[in-house]
Each structure stands twice: as structure tokens, then as C-alpha cells.
Amino acid sequence: MKQKRFILPESEIPTQWYNVVADMTNKPMPMINPATKEPITAEDLYPLFAEECSRQEVNRTDAWIDIPEEVREKYAYYRCTPLVRAYSLEEALGTPAHIYFKNESVNPLGSHKLNSAIPQAYYCKQQGVTNVTTETGAGQWGAALAYSAKLFGLDCAIYQVKISYEQKPYRRIIMQVFDAQVTPSPSMSTRAGKDLLTADPNHQGSLGTAISEAVELAMMTPNCKYLLGSVLNHVCLHQTVIGLEAEKQMAMAGEYPDIVIGCFGGGSNFSGISMPFMRHNLKDGKHTRFIAAEPASCPKLTKGEFRYDFGDETGYTPLIPMFTLGHEFRPANIHAGGLRYHGAGAIVSQLVKDGLVEAVDIRQLDSFAAGQLFAKAEGIIPAPESCHAIAAAINEANKCKETGEEKVILFNLSGHGLVDMTAYDQYISGTLANTGD
Ligand SMILES: *Cc1c(COP(=O)(O)O)cnc(C)c1O
């Protein structure tokens, strides 16, 4: 029998995260304080984020950062996750490529977001914080954080992008099961929200508006920290458990990836699967290609501009050096809510600028066609976000079919789509469009 799943025991949960910045020749430019125009220090971030996360955010020297034992214990609820060889998908495509995926959908919350929610909640608890707040789009990050906050006994308030709050009630309910307080953004509960609604009473919300509101709440509430689910360096750092496990599992399969693919919202799952392999490109002369798959309707990497921009709509965050569509960009209402973000994290932006990471954009209908093909072959219904990675993987596998090359393709399955069935319903019934492409 051919081995399909490569499984590591709990004892193989990584003991350290990998900080690629330490190994990059061209480091990302620093975040800038918009008021003083000075580079941001860890101390500047303390009012907003947990102190340890703030230090990780600006760490440019340590390639390896210890994972606290309590975080590893919580990771053991669902890690190590399986690496799977997608034999049926290969067969369905008739490709000579070997396709593997890392299955980050197998935790109770259904996406990779838990990998960073757990340590961020842990570091807050450790320094005596009592309340946490955040934004969420489709709700995966909110669900992961609501649960992580519960694990560490923190109160949790979440601003959810209004369009998702209305279109995707199930994840709101999941957050509420974990006692989180969920508010649709823009809302009247913050200055930022009030201003946005005064200017446009029908504002549908975006990750940018929800971030503004959560940041404002954190700044106004004593003992409250803001936690972010993507984009920032420390979030990408936490996600490297994905690639570090995958590296060992690829070795179990006796292969090494020629191509690594992740879907791209702000960069966390893409960084998680990619950076441990990128390390070998930077240090050991490997030539793996890295492909970030973004939606055609929110194409910051393929069509955006590299410059300093705010991470949120109102301009509360530091200025981040990023590929951006502009912080006031309003993404179309595609189902891949987690990819509706105007910018890309500083690390991946720098790597794209230096030609070390490639980007492709995928249209909504092509993403669902790929997702359905994958579901029929492998029995897993992927998250609409993950469908973008699958589409990019299929495109590469189809190229191998033309050239006859037996390339090894690894992609990250960032989440399952079982709470996104209205999206599949629309796709199957033919009412879904290439919105905003
Ligand atoms: C949030 C999310 C994404 C996009 O965020 P990144 O930080 O770019 O990874 C992708 N897939 C799923 C399932 C998500 O929940």
C-alpha cells in the first residue's frame, strides 16, 4: 500500500519557531511611527500588544525563538497535523507531479489561525492582561481567538466585518459559544466606527475598519490588548510550526518540495508553510519556488505598490513597508473573507520585492472549481481561502502534465469550508460571479 498520510507524534511538535528575518540578506524595512517618523521599537508597541509579541515583532537577530511549554501543551490539542499525498487529485489531473498538502483544517476551529491565537493569548495572560480584542473577517481568526482566550481565562471582544457578520452567521455563533462579545464593524461603539458610518451609512466594513475599531478599544480600555491574526511578523513567526513539521514529514516521504504554495491574505499561513523551506534557499543553495496565491479582486502582490502604508482603514497602526492597494481600498465581497485585505506583511513584501517569492492571482470562480475538484478527489471541503492555494497548485501540476516533469508540489490547506457552505451552494447553483475581478 502506498503511504498517503505522514504523521508525527506530539513529541515532534516544534520547540522553537523560525524567524526568517535573521537569515534574510535584505531585511524588511522597519515599521515607522507616523507621528515621529522614527522606526518603531518593541517598547512603542507595548501599549497595544503583549510585550513578548512586541519583542518578537522587531527581532531581526534570533533565527530561533523558544515556544513556551504551555503553548506546546495547547498545540498538542491538534498538532502535529498530517501531511498528505494527494494521490486522487494527481490521478484526477493526470499529472506526473507529486502533490502534497499540509492539513491545517484538522483542529476544532478549522483553520491555521489557532497556531498564533494560542501563543498570543498565552503571552497576554502571562503579563496579567485580562481583556483581549481583535478584528475578524469571515470569522476564522475570531473563532480561534475566542477559544484561545477561553483557554487562558481572558475576556474577548471581537469586531467582525459587517458583510461577513451578516452573510456568515455560523462563525459569529461559534465565537459566542466561547463567550466572546461580537460586534459588526463599522459600529457606533468607537470613534473610528462612528466616523466611517457618518461618511457612509451603508459601509459594508472591511478588515481595515474592524482593525481600527479593535485598536481603538484596546487603547481606551485598561488592561486590554489587541491581537492580530495575520500580517505582522510575530504572527507569521508563530505559523512556522506548519512548515517545520512539514519539513520533517516531507523527509519521511523521501521528497523535498520544488514548489511551495499558500493562499495569501496578509501572509501568515503562506509564511508558515514557506519560511522553514525558504531557510534552505537562503542558506543551503536550494531552489524551491514559493508561490503566494491571492484573489484577483484583492491583488496587492501582483498589482499593488510597494510603499509604507497603514495596516488599518483609519490610520491608527504604525506605517508598514508593504505591497498595498492603499489602506482605503474596499475589496469586493468575495467569499474568501480572509483574503480581503489591502496589504501584505513586511517580510513577504520584501521577499517578493527581492524576487524570492512569486505571486499569482486567482479568480473567484476558478478558486471554487479547484476547491470542488479537490473535495471530490480528497474528501475534504476546503475553505474558500484555501481554494486559491489549490487552484495555484493545480495550475502548476497541469504545467507538469505538459512538460512531463515529476515536480514535487506542496501546498498548505489553511482551513476547511464546512462553515462556508452557502458559498459552495452559490457556486454549484451557478449564481456565483467573478466579483470584482
Ligand atoms: C485567515 C485565513 C487565511 C488568510 O490569512 P493569512 O494570514 O494570509 O494566512 C487563509 N486561509 C484561512 C482558512 C484563513 O482563515
Side-chain angles (χ1 to χ4, degrees):
M1 196 175 88
K2 292 185 291 189
Q3 188 171 358
K4 182 163 175 67
R5 295 177 359 124
F6 299 87
I7 308 288
L8 291 168
E10 282 172 30
S11 55
E12 292 291 329
I13 292 172
T15 54
Q16 295 180 308
W17 293 297
Y18 173 59
N19 177 19
V20 70
V21 179
D23 289 333
M24 286 167 67
T25 317
N26 294 338
K27 312 265 187 235
M29 295 190 291
M31 287 197 289
I32 297 278
N33 179 334
T36 63
K37 305 278 186 275
E38 293 294 321
I40 291 279
T41 64
E43 289 75 16
D44 293 333
L45 298 173
Y46 287 174
L48 199 52
F49 301 123
E51 292 181 7
E52 180 57 26
C53 292
S54 305
R55 288 190 288 271
Q56 291 172 359
E57 186 60 30
V58 299
N59 188 323
R60 298 172 156 242
T61 47
D62 301 313
W64 298 99
I65 293 176
D66 288 345
I67 305 179
E69 203 47 37
E70 277 176 73
V71 170
R72 290 186 75 232
E73 274 165 25
K74 301 291 190 270
Y75 276 168
Y77 284 35
Y78 62 99
R79 307 207 73 84
C80 300
T81 63
L83 177 84
V84 184
R85 172 90 183 259
Y87 286 113
S88 323
L89 180 63
E90 290 170 19
E91 204 175 305
L93 297 171
T95 177
H98 296 187
I99 306 176
Y100 292 84
F101 63 93
K102 180 72 167 157
N103 190 352
E104 290 296 312
S105 79
V106 293
N107 70 67
L109 282 311
S111 85
H112 70 286
K113 296 285 193 331
L114 211 44
N115 298 329
S116 186
I118 290 172
Q120 290 193 53
Y122 165 79
Y123 289 127
C124 284
K125 180 70 184 177
Q126 203 200 18
Q127 75 176 73
V129 167
T130 54
N131 290 59
V132 292
T133 181
T134 195
E135 79 298 331
T136 194
Q140 290 102 328
W141 167 244
L145 185 63
Y147 170 63
S148 302
K150 202 41 28 183
L151 277 178
F152 292 103
L154 303 164
D155 281 344
C156 183
I158 297 172
Y159 288 94
Q160 181 169 24
V161 177
K162 190 186 282 168
I163 181 85
S164 304
Y165 182 94
E166 286 163 2
Q167 283 182 351
K168 309 202 167 184
Y170 289 118
R171 286 220 182 76
R172 163 178 59 76
I173 302 165
I174 292 173
M175 294 182 259
Q176 289 168 335
V177 165
F178 296 115
D179 295 334
Q181 183 200 321
V182 189
T183 308
S185 172
S187 76
M188 295 299 277
S189 72
T190 62
R191 166 96 252 153
K194 274 185 204 144
D195 288 350
L196 289 162
L197 284 174
T198 310
D200 175 4
N202 293 321
H203 202 306
Q204 302 273 291
S206 67
L207 284 169
T209 69
I211 294 173
S212 296
E213 293 204 85
V215 168
E216 188 178 319
L217 183 73
M219 300 303 276
M220 306 302 268
T221 313
N223 228 1
C224 179
K225 294 293 171 199
Y226 168 64
L227 288 71
L228 189 59
S230 181
V231 183
L232 294 177
N233 300 347
H234 68 273
V235 183
C236 297
L237 172 78
H238 300 155
Q239 294 294 347
T240 58
V241 289
I242 302 173
L244 292 166
E245 288 176 9
E247 200 185 329
K248 291 183 192 166
Q249 290 162 310
M250 290 300 301
M252 288 164 78
E255 305 221 70
Y256 191 87
D258 297 304
I259 305 174
V260 175
I261 298 170
C263 66
F264 198 94
S268 78
N269 93 90
F270 174 79
S271 299
I273 188 85
S274 299
M275 295 317 155
F277 293 101
M278 176 66 76
R279 172 168 176 258
H280 300 296
N281 276 26
L282 297 175
K283 293 177 73 86
D284 309 325
K286 292 275 190 198
H287 296 288
T288 300
R289 288 173 58 208
F290 299 91
I291 304 176
E294 60 183 9
S297 59
C298 196
K300 56 253 176 185
L301 292 174
T302 52
K303 306 211 172 58
E305 204 188 333
F306 182 82
R307 62 177 168 90
Y308 273 102
D309 196 7
F310 290 107
D312 68 320
E313 168 125 0
T314 303
Y316 285 150
T317 68
L319 287 161
I320 305 172
M322 50 159 60
F323 275 95
T324 177
L325 296 161
H327 63 279
E328 287 174 334
F329 180 78
R330 294 211 190 152
N333 294 332
I334 55 168
H335 283 283
L339 308 185
R340 295 176 73 244
Y341 184 68
H342 66 273
I347 298 173
V348 175
S349 289
Q350 186 65 44
L351 291 169
V352 168
K353 191 159 170 273
D354 290 342
L356 293 161
V357 164
E358 304 165 39
V360 293
D361 56 34
I362 308 285
R363 307 184 76 190
Q364 175 156 264
L365 289 177
D366 296 336
S367 75
F368 279 101
Q372 192 183 9
L373 183 66
F374 175 82
K376 286 190 276 196
E378 300 293 327
I380 303 169
I381 297 180
E385 291 86 357
S386 314
C387 290
H388 292 74
I390 296 170
I394 290 175
N395 288 344
E396 292 302 321
N398 283 337
K399 283 185 207 159
C400 292
K401 193 170 163 180
E402 283 163 27
T403 60
E405 283 173 292
E406 253 187 48
K407 284 194 179 149
V408 177
I409 301 171
L410 166 65
F411 73 86
N412 190 43
L413 184 71
S414 53
H416 69 63
L418 294 176
V419 192
D420 303 278
M421 296 317 289
T422 40
Y424 281 91
D425 188 28
Q426 289 174 10
Y427 175 66
I428 290 164
S429 65
T431 56
L432 195 64
N434 272 329
T435 316
D437 290 7

